[in-house]
C-alpha cells in the first residue's frame, strides 16, 4: 500500500509538471506574432509614407538653400529694401543645403529599401511545434529585432547630428580660404540645422519600437516568474 501511495504521488507530480509546461504562457511568441501581424497589415505603406515625407522635406530644404543663395539679393531688395547680408546668405544656404541633403538621403534610403518579410526571416519560430523551443526561438528573435532597431536608431541619430558638424567643417574651410578667422560663424550651423539636431537628439535619447517590444517581454516575464 505504501508503494502504491508513492507511485501515485510520483505520477501526480509528473502530471502537474507536464501540465505546467504545457500551459506555460508563450509571452515572447505572442509579442513576436503581434509584431509580425502588425507589419503585415501595414504592408509597405508605412515605409513609403515615411520615406516620401522625408524626401519631400529634404527637397524643400534644398530648394530653400538654392533660392537663398541665387535669389537672396533680389528678395532682399524687393521686400526688405536692401541686399541680403553676404554672411547670412552663405550661412543660411549652407545650413539648409546640408540639412536638406541629409534628410533627402534618409528618405531616399527608405524608399529604395527592399520589402521586409519577417515571416520568412523568422520562419523557424513559426514552424516549430515544440512550445518550449518555440518560445526560446521567439525570445532570440525579439532580441535580434531590438538590436536591429537600436542600430537603425543610432544610425539616424549620427546622420542628423553630423549635419552641423559638416556645416562647421565647410565653413571653417571657407574662412581659411578667404583669410578670415577659422571659427567665424562656424557655430551658426546649429541654428540653421535645428531640425536635424532635434531629430538626432530624439533618436539618440529615445527607443525604437523593437527595443520597447523586447523590454515588454522582459517585464512580462518578470511579472509572471520573478526570479525563477
Amino acid at each position: 500500500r505504501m508503494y502504491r501511495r508513492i507511485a501515485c504521488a510520483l505520477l501526480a507530480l509528473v502530471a502537474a509538471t507536464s501540465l505546467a509546461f504545457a500551459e506555460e504562457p508563450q509571452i515572447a511568441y505572442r509579442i513576436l506574432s503581434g509584431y509580425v501581424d502588425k507589419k503585415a497589415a501595414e504592408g509597405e505603406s508605412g515605409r513609403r509614407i515615411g520615406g516620401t515625407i522625408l524626401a519631400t522635406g529634404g527637397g524643400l530644404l534644398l530648394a530653400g538653400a538654392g533660392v537663398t543663395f541665387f535669389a537672396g539679393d533680389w528678395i532682399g531688395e524687393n521686400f526688405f529694401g536692401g541686399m541680403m547680408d553676404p554672411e547670412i546668405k552663405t550661412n543660411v544656404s549652407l545650413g539648409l543645403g546640408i540639412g536638406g541633403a541629409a534628410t533627402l538621403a534618409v528618405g531616399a534610403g527608405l524608399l529604395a529599401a527592399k520589402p521586409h518579410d519577417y515571416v520568412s526571416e523568422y520562419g523557424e519560430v513559426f514552424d516549430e511545434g515544440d512550445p518550449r523551443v518555440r518560445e526560446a526561438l521567439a525570445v532570440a528573435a525579439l532580441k535580434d529585432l531590438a538590436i536591429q532597431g537600436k542600430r537603425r536608431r543610432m544610425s539616424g541619430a549620427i546622420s542628423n547630428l553630423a549635419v552641423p558638424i559638416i556645416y562647421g567643417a565647410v565653413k571653417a574651410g571657407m574662412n581659411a580660404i578667404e583669410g578670415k578667422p577659422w571659427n567665424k560663424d562656424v557655430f551658426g550651423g546649429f541654428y540653421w540645422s535645428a531640425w536635424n539636431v532635434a531629430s538626432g537628439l530624439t533618436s539618440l535619447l529615445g527607443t525604437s519600437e523593437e527595443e520597447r517590444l523586447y523590454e515588454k517581454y522582459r517585464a512580462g516575464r518578470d511579472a509572471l516568474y520573478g526570479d525563477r
Side-chain angles (χ1 to χ4, degrees), residues 41-120:
E42 291 177 351
E44 290 298 296
S45 61
R47 178 180 63 83
R48 291 189 177 278
I49 290 173
T52 301
I53 291 174
L54 289 174
T56 302
L60 290 174
L61 290 175
L62 284 174
V67 169
T68 302
F69 187 78
F70 293 107
D73 292 336
W74 181 86
I75 294 173
E77 288 180 348
N78 285 273
F79 294 95
F80 301 101
M83 295 180 63
M84 192 174 186
D85 183 272
E87 290 290 339
I88 295 178
K89 182 171 70 173
T90 301
N91 292 339
V92 173
S93 299
L94 275 177
L96 292 177
I98 296 174
T103 305
L104 179 62
V106 174
L110 286 175
L111 292 174
K114 295 181 179 180
H116 204 136
D117 189 350
Y118 291 98
V119 175
S120 298

Side-chain angles (χ1 to χ4, degrees), residues 32 97 218 223:
L32 179 65
R218 295 180 62 182

Side-chain angles (χ1 to χ4, degrees), residues 149-204:
K150 183 177 181 179
R151 186 181 296 119
R152 288 193 299 271
R153 177 171 61 83
M154 296 305 296
S155 296
I158 292 172
S159 298
N160 279 298
L161 292 176
V163 169
I165 297 175
I166 295 173
Y167 171 93
V170 173
K171 185 61 179 177
M174 293 175 62
N175 288 338
I177 293 173
E178 296 173 359
K180 301 176 182 178
W182 71 269
N183 60 347
K184 179 176 175 59
D185 297 322
V186 165
F187 298 102
F190 287 96
Y191 297 103
W192 310 118
S193 306
W195 162 258
N196 297 94
V197 173
S199 298
L201 290 176
T202 300
S203 298
L204 185 65

